[in-house]
Amino acid sequence: MTNLENLIGGQRRKATAGSRFEKHAPATGNLLAYVPASNTQDVDDAVRAAHTALHHGPWASAGGAARARWLQRLADLVEREADALAVLLADEQGRPAGEMQMMDVPMSVDTLRYFAGWADKLEGRMIPTDGFMGRPTLNYTRRMPVGVAAQIIPWNAPLMIAAWKLAPALAAGCTVVIKPSEDAPLSVARLGELICEAGFPDGVVNIIHGIGAEVGPALVTHPLVNKVSFTGSTEVGRSIACEAAKTFKRVTLELGGKAAQIVFADADIEQIIPSLAIGMFVNQGQTCAAGSRVLVHRSLAQAVEARLADAARSIRVGPPSDPASQMGALINQRHLARVRAHIDGALAEGAVRLAGDEAVPERGWFVRPTILGGVHPGMRIAREEVFGPVGMVIPFDSEDEAVGIANDTLFGLSASLWTQNISTAHRVAERLDVGAVAINCWSPLDARLPWGGTKHSGIGRDLSRAALDSYLEEKVVTAAL
Ligand code: NAD
């Protein structure tokens, strides 16, 4: 059991009021940590520390090459701690450590290294004009850090998403206040220790734990915060967009999804079933890109339904302490009740459970991977984000119908499609109103590829050059000669 602390101006600190809350392990219910319940005073201290580090001291005067070295050192340390971080993530998320070793930890390292590569390449432009009032001018641009960035992290991939947000901000020269989720504070706290070990100057990265509804608004409305980058629910994203607009803060919002996986009649179903299942069930379906809506050409629908149900039944559900576990627990009891309510609601609306009613471990917050048949596009289960291991098969007859169903949602994060026909693949990819389309695979995440959505899935992009640009302002300088 751990006592977590905030990281403010390089100092580890309890919450000012001395308040704290408990974080429990999803797979066992055991107490894992006491977490500071910070208040507006703590937030103010953290933002002021970030503001001071932005304008004074070694970070303010450091060049891009120095920032790159700090980021590379941090990447080395995360790599050194890979196994321990995977276990920590597994405990706080109730998820098999193997998934963290394969995905979350290496991707965090890769993201830090990718953005370290950008830190010394923030070049401006020289722009010729016709001059000013008869005089020639020299016009050039500088890429300036946006300032203090508030970064609000969800619980479903805490280390990886913290790296997605931190790395471009630091490469750009910003300073940061991170707010980890109350449901996954441990791995980000450990990242904070590694940030200190990497030698980042005090105040460059500050970590404020606390309850979202208290700490979040204090950060989002703070006058010294220049940008808010948020990953989380669409509902909270909407409130952040409204609050941030009042002081014209820049925002990046990575919100919910309701991805379709479209299987055309020429797809090789034996080959694709494992990928479809991964798309639905990885991280217990608690991913924004979860491909929960499997749209299948009617000629294959029955076969796909049966094979997906077999695949779901074969998944071994259990705690991360059991190395044989292939799927873990949901994050907390409230979320378990929410996912169950979604399944019950779908059954009440006429869906049929083809897999998912088998027994789960007695302790912990488990749901079996569930496949639903008899789902129509208008049903609630087909429209709202469940964020759990629940997939459904919806038949279609034509390409137009498939595209129509796929796009008929408020979300627009990602989609995948499965076909041997190269023309179908690219034609449909163009018609899907989402931020990312995967052809014959499921949403590969890569630091070099932009990640974000259209419609209610958010604003802006994480990862890639696009994320770097979102932490920079382009300043133009005109000199009359
Ligand atoms: P959440 O919105 O409940 O919480 C996210 C973060 O916001 C937490 O740190 C929380 O403490 C904080 N928060 C809560 N209320 C706040 C407020 N009023 N103001 C500011 N901050 C507040 O989301 P969650 O349950 O942690 O994560 C699940 C959601 O995240 C899903 O909807 C999922 O689709 C989405 N998500 C999106 C992406 C993406 O890249 N698009 C990636 C991962 C998760």
Side-chain angles (χ1 to χ4, degrees):
M1 210 274 307
T2 319
N3 274 308
L4 298 184
E5 290 177 313
N6 290 328
L7 176 66
I8 299 177
Q11 306 296 313
R12 311 252 169 81
R13 285 173 38 177
K14 294 184 172 34
T16 309
S19 327
R20 59 185 194 176
F21 60 89
E22 297 179 353
K23 157 68 190 165
H24 294 264
T28 59
N30 292 344
L31 180 62
L32 270 186
Y34 288 110
V35 188
S38 307
N39 61 17
T40 50
Q41 180 61 56
D42 300 303
V43 170
D44 187 55
D45 291 349
V47 173
R48 285 184 190 284
H51 188 255
T52 302
L54 182 72
H55 294 288
H56 307 283
W59 186 256
S61 55
R67 295 198 300 273
R69 281 194 294 276
W70 275 307
L71 279 165
Q72 291 287 10
R73 271 205 291 272
L74 180 58
D76 291 342
L77 294 174
V78 173
E79 212 160 33
R80 186 192 76 191
E81 297 294 312
D83 290 344
L85 282 165
V87 171
L88 193 64
L89 283 160
D91 282 347
E92 77 175 342
Q93 283 187 265
R95 186 177 157 200
E99 278 187 17
M100 317 297 189
Q101 267 153 342
M102 208 171 61
M103 214 161 78
D104 294 50
V105 178
M107 177 139 202
S108 305
V109 173
D110 187 51
T111 302
L112 291 165
R113 295 207 193 287
Y114 168 77
F115 284 105
W118 274 117
D120 61 354
K121 299 172 189 68
L122 307 181
E123 295 164 355
R125 302 183 285 163
M126 188 81 82
I127 305 173
T129 69
D130 288 347
F132 178 71
M133 298 186 71
R135 293 170 66 188
T137 54
L138 170 68
N139 315 285
Y140 62 92
T141 66
R142 302 274 319 272
R143 321 262 343 260
M144 311 300 290
V146 156
V148 174
Q151 306 188 321
I152 303 176
I153 313 290
W155 47 259
N156 67 326
L159 181 77
M160 188 174 87
I161 293 177
W164 288 11
K165 296 199 182 295
L166 263 181
L170 297 177
C174 293
T175 56
V176 169
V177 180
I178 299 187
K179 149 78 181 85
S181 166
E182 45 273 61
D183 281 307
L186 284 103
S187 52
V188 181
R190 179 68 187 121
L191 184 66
E193 291 170 1
L194 298 178
I195 286 166
C196 294
E197 190 179 338
F200 281 89
D202 293 348
V204 171
V205 179
N206 305 274
I207 299 178
I208 280 283
H209 296 279
I211 304 297
E214 287 171 33
V215 171
L219 264 178
V220 173
T221 56
H222 199 291
L224 294 180
V225 168
N226 304 95
K227 174 178 169 98
V228 180
S229 180
F230 168 80
T231 297
S233 60
T234 293
E235 188 191 350
V236 174
R238 184 178 291 113
S239 78
I240 288 177
C242 293
E243 287 306 315
K246 291 178 188 163
T247 44
F248 300 98
K249 290 179 173 47
R250 281 76 183 122
V251 289
T252 300
L253 302 172
E254 300 296 349
L255 311 177
K258 190 74 188 174
Q261 306 200 70
I262 309 176
V263 180
F264 287 96
D266 62 349
D268 175 349
I269 56 170
E270 298 307 335
Q271 211 190 339
I272 71 173
I273 292 297
S275 299
L276 292 177
I278 288 173
M280 279 191 279
F281 296 139
V282 72
N283 196 1
Q284 295 84 252
Q286 300 171 132
T287 71
C288 49
S292 58
R293 294 186 299 154
V294 180
L295 313 184
V296 187
H297 189 267
R298 198 173 295 280
S299 61
L300 300 179
Q302 266 191 334
V304 169
E305 231 172 44
R307 282 169 175 76
L308 278 176
D310 285 347
R313 276 190 292 270
S314 73
I315 293 172
R316 195 171 159 139
V317 173
S321 56
D322 178 352
S325 298
Q326 296 168 308
M327 184 188 278
L330 300 186
I331 192 70
N332 60 36
Q333 202 157 15
R334 196 168 18 95
H335 191 50
L336 174 69
R338 199 178 153 267
V339 171
R340 281 189 180 150
H342 266 295
I343 297 171
D344 291 344
L347 297 176
E349 273 193 271
V352 183
R353 181 159 33 200
L354 303 171
D357 50 5
E358 306 85 5
V360 290
E362 271 174 25
R363 294 186 72 204
W365 303 309
F366 292 91
V367 168
R368 286 282 322 168
T370 300
I371 298 291
L372 299 173
V375 173
H376 304 289
M379 285 164 63
R380 217 179 132 199
I381 195 85
R383 308 191 72 77
E384 294 181 10
E385 186 182 44
V386 176
F387 223 59
V390 183
M392 64 213 74
V393 174
I394 302 176
F396 67 83
D397 291 300
S398 67
E399 183 180 308
D400 279 351
E401 191 189 0
V403 171
I405 298 171
N407 284 341
D408 183 21
T409 155
L410 286 174
F411 297 107
L413 186 58
S414 60
S416 44
L417 61 94
W418 306 83
T419 177
Q420 301 302 314
N421 184 320
I422 193 166
S423 302
T424 306
H426 293 291
R427 192 172 57 238
V428 173
E430 185 165 332
R431 296 176 70 193
L432 291 171
D433 187 0
V434 293
V437 179
I439 297 174
N440 294 327
C441 58
W442 175 72
S443 286
L445 293 170
D446 190 294
R448 290 138 208 92
L449 302 176
W451 180 252
T454 65
K455 303 192 279 185
H456 290 209
S457 287
I459 296 172
R461 296 292 180 264
D462 273 338
L463 301 177
S464 77
R465 172 90 189 254
L468 181 80
D469 288 344
S470 78
Y471 287 97
L472 292 164
E473 299 280 9
E474 190 171 35
K475 178 194 282 186
V476 65
V477 180
T478 298
L481 301 176

